[in-house]
Amino acid sequence: MTQPGEMEVQRECVTLCNRDCPDTCAIRATVERGRVVRLRGDPSHPVTRGFLCYRTNQFLTRQYSDARLTSPLLRKGDAFVPVTWDEALSVTATRLTKIREESGGAAIFHYRSGGSLGLLKTLTDYFFALFGPVTVKQGDICSGAGEAAQSMDFGECDSSDLHTLLDSRHILLWGKNVHASSPHTLMVLRDAKARGASVVLIDPVHHEGAKFADAYHQLAPGGDFALAMAVAHLLFVRGAIDPEAARYCDFLDEFEGLATSQSVADWCREADVPVAAAEDLARRLADKPCAIVVGWGMGRRSNGGAIVRALDALCAISGNLGIAGGGVSFYYRRRNGLEGALPQVPPPPRTICEPLFGEQVLAAREPPIRALWVTAGNPGAMLPDSERVARAIRSTEFSVVVDSEFTDTARLATLVLPTTTLLEEDDLVGAYGHHFLGVSRPVVEPPTGVRSDLQIVQDLAERVGLGDSLRGSAREWKRRFLAHRLEGSGVGLEQLERGPVRNPLAKRVLFSERRFATATGRVQLIHDRPPPPAQPESPDPEQFPLQLLALSTRQAQSSQWAGAPPDVLTATINPTVAPGVSDGQRCRLRSAIGCIDVVVRLDARQRSDVVIVPKGGHFHLGASGNALVQAKLTDIGQGGALYEERVRLEV
Ligand SMILES: Nc1nc2c(c(=O)[nH]1)N[C@H]1C(S)=C(S)[C@@H](COP(=O)(O)OP(=O)(O)OC[C@H]3O[C@@H](n4cnc5c(=O)[nH]c(N)nc54)[C@H](O)[C@@H]3O)O[C@H]1N2
Ligand SMILES: Nc1nc2c(c(=O)[nH]1)N[C@H]1C(S)=C(S)[C@@H](COP(=O)(O)OP(=O)(O)OC[C@H]3O[C@@H](n4cnc5c(=O)[nH]c(N)nc54)[C@H](O)[C@@H]3O)O[C@H]1N2
Ligand code: SF4
Ligand SMILES: [Mo]
């Protein structure tokens, strides 16, 4: 036993992974003499089941990397110099207060992304709302279209329990790569298969899921709306519509009109699949229960919202909504019961649409955006039209980036503030891929010189006269968030500290009463294709024949790589795209707005109209897909249409 004053030799701690990932794993960390030496998944967590993904298994190299920031860095000309926290925060308080006095809160833009899913990160939003209110982002680069689609159709965006997939006869993975992006969902799919379910993948890209699936339909990118209409057409003509559908769906006749406005063969031609693909999906939807599991990637298109709405409609008319093993799952409401926990704040004076960050920050007038504060995001690498995003960040007088790494965005900032990592996090975390809630707790203390987001805004709040509103330890804030609704439902802090708990407010089977939070209480079936928003002109498809897909890779969490980030991206293409080009050859990818070097990987299983690169490459290395991608919006929800940029390969 350890004596007082003696350092423990070894201990094991449990925390929750806060990364922007659906799985929200419970991590068991082994700590020896104050240093984490091993990470593994908690075997007792029903979703984690004892393993972590590749990128978090490798996290200790990031945690203990020399590149870790441990001091505030203030720009002096082209260089950054280390400064004390006192200097960093007093400069910040002075500059922000002056800008607010001269130009109003709207001249300050607080941008927060998903680098940590901890709920306490919203306290930075809270601080800025009280200090300003300031300009904030609107829309969502990640899931804007899909969330808007489900909110329109059902009045909310949530899912039945992940484990209800064990009741499915068929599971349609529609535009989803669980092997790369949600490995713990894969385990549930394996169990469902062992119980007799069949799994089908619908995806233009051939990935590991294609081999895992019992059937694979490799449709044209963005062809999903047409394929869904072909399937709906078949369901209508075969009388495979739920006899009760008219009771809980509005616009059933109009939806039928839309689906049958074209022949099945014509819809399938549009989707570039054989009619047999639509037949296969119609048969499975009629053989209930059949679940549709919708990927987030597919919605990142200018018809992304319409696609998700079409899948919602398929699920509804086939009678798969509201039954265990059915459903159309896009997102799990990870903040259920935690929304609205903070006191009401004044609305923002202005918003910047996230996917249009570069253009809108540069165009902002009366007042212009004079200051930027970035929390848990790396827009310099992850937002489209990165050259313009960089210009926008540089155009501000004062920009602060809070991060543990010297990211592409940090490189552009005036001031960089070093913060904690997921192993030092003290927060409350809900998942967007299942219904378990939990707390993260520091496994080790952060290095000297590093502060949490909460400590940073608390110190700043004290300096600008808002100290009272932000005061409290992380644990006290967790308790305040839980007191809002969850404690009353039986989930208290002590209970969460013993281990993750299923959110009692989440329904096991969503919509089992077939009542919906829409104005009429019924499903709103899509019956018109929403017109695409006005967009930058598309380049000539003859000159730019490939669609660029910058997709999740096992090696990285967005721009956070397990090892060194690649200095050149691998571009996977079908060999017929570039006859004469050999595997491993260095080429260039060019779009209407940029050009990057790539190393070609030939893969005959891919379609000949796409090129696949990993997402998250670094801009300053010339290895970011977003240097090529124009900033475009999805049809609804102000999402980013990221996956339809036209490019060509140059030898
Ligand atoms: N390893 C790893 N895991 C991650 C992340 C990461 O960066 N790395 N990021 C996390 C984040 S932020 C998110 S939002 C989730 C993302 O989770 P997903 O959205 O599931 O993301 P991806 O794994 O990129 O899979 C998207 C799939 O959509 C397909 N797709 C693209 N266009 C179309 C289309 O038009 N139709 C159809 N049917 N399919 C299409 C792509 O080929 C790809 O297989 O993953 C999280 N998990
Ligand atoms: N072309 C293309 N672009 C894409 C995508 C794509 O598929 N293709 N995917 C899109 C998607 S789905 C998403 S969600 C976005 C992701 O975009 P971002 O959210 O910007 O992604 P990250 O690169 O993970 O940046 C998060 C940063 O937060 C930091 N961080 C981690 N923990 C903390 C913390 O506790 N506090 C603070 N202050 N910082 C922390 C990390 O070090 C990291 O630098 O990118 C989008 N961009
Ligand atoms: S990134 Fe996702 S899969 Fe990996 S450990 Fe974290 S929650 Fe689990
Ligand atoms: Mo995302």
Side-chain angles (χ1 to χ4, degrees):
M1 179 144 172
T2 322
Q3 298 302 313
E6 203 178 86
M7 204 180 229
E8 259 174 311
V9 177
Q10 191 182 78
R11 65 192 158 92
E12 191 157 84
C13 319
V14 184
T15 191
L16 275 195
C17 180
N18 65 4
R19 302 184 109 169
D20 189 350
C21 168
D23 295 5
T24 309
C25 291
I27 300 176
R28 279 185 180 267
T30 310
V31 182
E32 272 180 19
R33 296 177 209 283
R35 194 178 166 95
V36 189
V37 293
R38 183 171 169 228
L39 300 176
R40 66 191 175 101
D42 185 348
S44 69
H45 187 289
V47 180
T48 309
R49 290 166 65 171
F51 76 97
L52 304 174
C53 62
Y54 177 80
R55 62 199 186 284
T56 300
N57 269 324
Q58 307 296 312
F59 191 74
L60 293 181
T61 37
R62 286 181 74 80
Q63 174 77 8
Y64 295 117
S65 148
D66 292 341
R68 178 89 196 265
L69 299 174
T70 52
S71 163
L73 299 172
L74 184 64
R75 178 181 291 280
K76 298 259 162 83
D78 284 339
F80 281 98
V81 292
V83 293
T84 62
W85 276 98
D86 187 46
E87 183 178 350
L89 293 177
S90 83
V91 168
T92 305
T94 311
R95 301 281 299 263
L96 292 183
T97 307
K98 183 163 180 280
I99 290 172
R100 181 187 61 181
E101 273 161 18
E102 290 171 357
S103 308
I108 300 166
F109 176 24
H110 175 224
Y111 174 84
R112 184 167 64 82
S113 186
S116 159
L117 296 187
L119 259 300
L120 268 50
K121 301 297 163 192
T122 56
L123 289 168
T124 309
D125 307 355
Y126 182 55
F127 163 75
F128 278 106
L130 298 177
F131 178 75
V134 303
T135 297
V136 298
K137 75 170 189 187
Q138 195 177 22
D140 193 295
I141 188 77
C142 171
S143 54
E147 283 186 57
Q150 293 222 312
S151 303
M152 278 171 89
D153 295 343
F154 307 136
E156 65 183 296
C157 188
D158 200 358
S159 298
S160 298
D161 268 2
L162 179 61
H163 292 99
T164 57
L165 290 177
L166 298 176
D167 296 318
S168 305
R169 276 177 191 269
H170 304 277
I171 300 168
L172 311 184
L173 292 181
W174 208 306
K176 197 166 173 91
N177 183 351
V178 287
H179 286 77
S181 296
S182 186
H184 298 84
T185 297
L186 177 60
M187 301 305 285
V188 180
L189 296 175
R190 286 217 169 105
D191 290 349
K193 273 182 95 163
R195 291 170 66 142
S198 67
V199 173
V200 181
L201 177 71
I202 301 114
D203 199 311
V205 173
H206 190 290
H207 53 70
E208 280 168 287
K211 199 165 141 219
F212 173 77
D214 300 283
Y216 171 44
H217 304 301
Q218 193 171 22
L219 80 178
D224 307 82
F225 184 86
L227 177 57
M229 289 304 129
V231 176
H233 190 138
L234 286 170
L235 293 174
F236 278 112
V237 296
R238 291 183 179 167
I241 304 298
D242 180 9
E244 295 281 292
R247 190 178 55 76
Y248 58 84
C249 296
D250 284 333
F251 307 112
L252 186 59
D253 291 345
E254 291 86 344
F255 178 63
E256 180 173 5
L258 177 62
T260 54
S261 65
Q262 245 177 240
S263 70
V264 174
D266 281 349
W267 284 123
C268 286
R269 204 167 301 118
E270 228 180 90
D272 197 22
V273 289
V275 167
E279 303 259 2
D280 176 58
L281 296 171
R283 179 179 65 76
R284 293 178 198 272
L285 279 161
D287 184 26
K288 293 191 280 270
C290 174
I292 308 180
V293 183
V294 185
W296 296 278
M298 191 179 51
R300 299 182 197 126
R301 304 192 155 273
S302 47
N303 67 343
I307 292 175
V308 177
R309 294 200 65 198
L311 302 186
D312 290 349
L314 278 186
C315 180
I317 62 161
S318 60
N320 280 295
L321 211 53
I323 60 173
V328 49
S329 161
F330 179 74
Y331 185 82
Y332 289 70
R333 237 179 100 191
R334 65 187 176 88
R335 304 179 199 86
N336 196 353
L338 295 156
E339 292 131 331
L342 290 170
Q344 185 110 37
V345 288
R350 170 167 67 189
T351 57
I352 296 284
C353 176
E354 185 174 30
L356 307 182
F357 180 114
E359 171 185 334
Q360 293 199 349
V361 167
L362 286 169
R365 294 283 175 274
E366 292 176 20
I369 301 289
R370 296 179 58 191
L372 169 72
W373 180 290
V374 178
T375 303
N378 187 7
M382 296 315 297
L383 295 186
D385 199 354
S386 11
E387 180 64 52
R388 206 190 302 235
V389 171
R391 252 191 294 135
I393 297 171
R394 271 194 252 105
S395 76
T396 61
E397 288 160 43
F398 185 65
S399 51
V400 182
V401 172
V402 185
D403 207 299
S404 54
E405 303 270 327
F406 198 56
T407 61
D408 277 321
T409 314
R411 281 164 201 275
L412 301 164
T414 323
L415 178 67
V416 185
L417 300 177
T419 197
T420 46
T421 65
L422 67 92
L423 295 177
E424 297 146 10
E425 178 89 317
D426 201 355
D427 215 321
L428 200 54
V429 195
Y432 67 90
H434 56 77
H435 281 141
F436 288 88
L437 270 176
V439 288
S440 52
R441 273 169 307 178
V443 161
V444 281
E445 288 300 311
T448 316
V450 167
R451 294 189 183 179
S452 69
D453 291 277
L454 179 60
Q455 289 169 324
I456 295 169
V457 286
Q458 284 177 330
D459 192 333
L460 195 55
E462 295 290 349
R463 289 165 194 262
V464 298
L466 292 169
D468 287 351
S469 305
L470 269 296
R471 225 162 275 148
S473 66
R475 205 157 175 269
E476 281 159 357
W477 276 108
K478 290 183 205 184
R479 214 185 274 292
R480 285 176 209 164
F481 273 89
L482 290 170
H484 178 53
R485 275 189 69 199
L486 282 163
E487 225 164 45
S489 308
V491 182
L493 183 59
E494 284 71 17
Q495 198 182 349
L496 288 178
E497 286 175 343
R498 284 195 292 276
V501 174
R502 189 185 169 283
N503 190 328
L505 301 177
K507 300 213 173 72
R508 195 182 92 86
V509 177
L510 195 64
F511 309 131
S512 57
E513 283 143 21
R514 303 248 166 101
R515 266 204 302 275
F516 303 87
T518 54
T520 61
R522 287 190 289 272
V523 179
Q524 302 300 295
L525 296 176
I526 185 172
H527 50 288
D528 295 312
R529 299 170 88 148
Q535 304 278 16
E537 225 167 280
S538 269
D540 177 2
E542 299 246 312
Q543 281 197 43
F544 295 93
L546 303 170
Q547 287 199 41
L548 176 72
L549 302 171
L551 301 176
S552 287
T553 165
R554 245 182 237 268
Q555 275 74 32
Q557 170 67 47
S558 294
S559 68
Q560 309 164 57
W561 290 76
D567 52 13
V568 58
L569 294 183
T570 300
T572 304
I573 50 166
N574 183 292
T576 59
V577 166
V581 168
S582 49
D583 207 50
Q585 190 171 329
R586 210 166 162 121
C587 295
R588 283 183 309 278
L589 270 187
R590 184 180 297 280
S591 75
I593 61 162
C595 184
I596 59 168
D597 280 2
V598 291
V599 170
V600 168
R601 197 179 130 242
L602 299 175
D603 180 353
R605 300 165 308 175
Q606 303 304 343
R607 293 178 58 93
S608 54
D609 53 2
V610 297
V611 49
I612 304 139
V613 299
K615 87 172 181 186
H618 289 195
F619 182 63
H620 76 278
L621 296 174
S624 166
N626 280 324
L628 308 182
V629 179
Q630 298 186 72
K632 289 198 339 183
L633 289 182
T634 52
D635 44 3
I636 51 174
Q638 301 193 38
L642 301 171
Y643 294 166
E644 55 193 27
E645 188 61 42
R646 298 204 146 272
V647 297
R648 67 167 175 255
L649 193 75
E650 294 178 347
V651 181

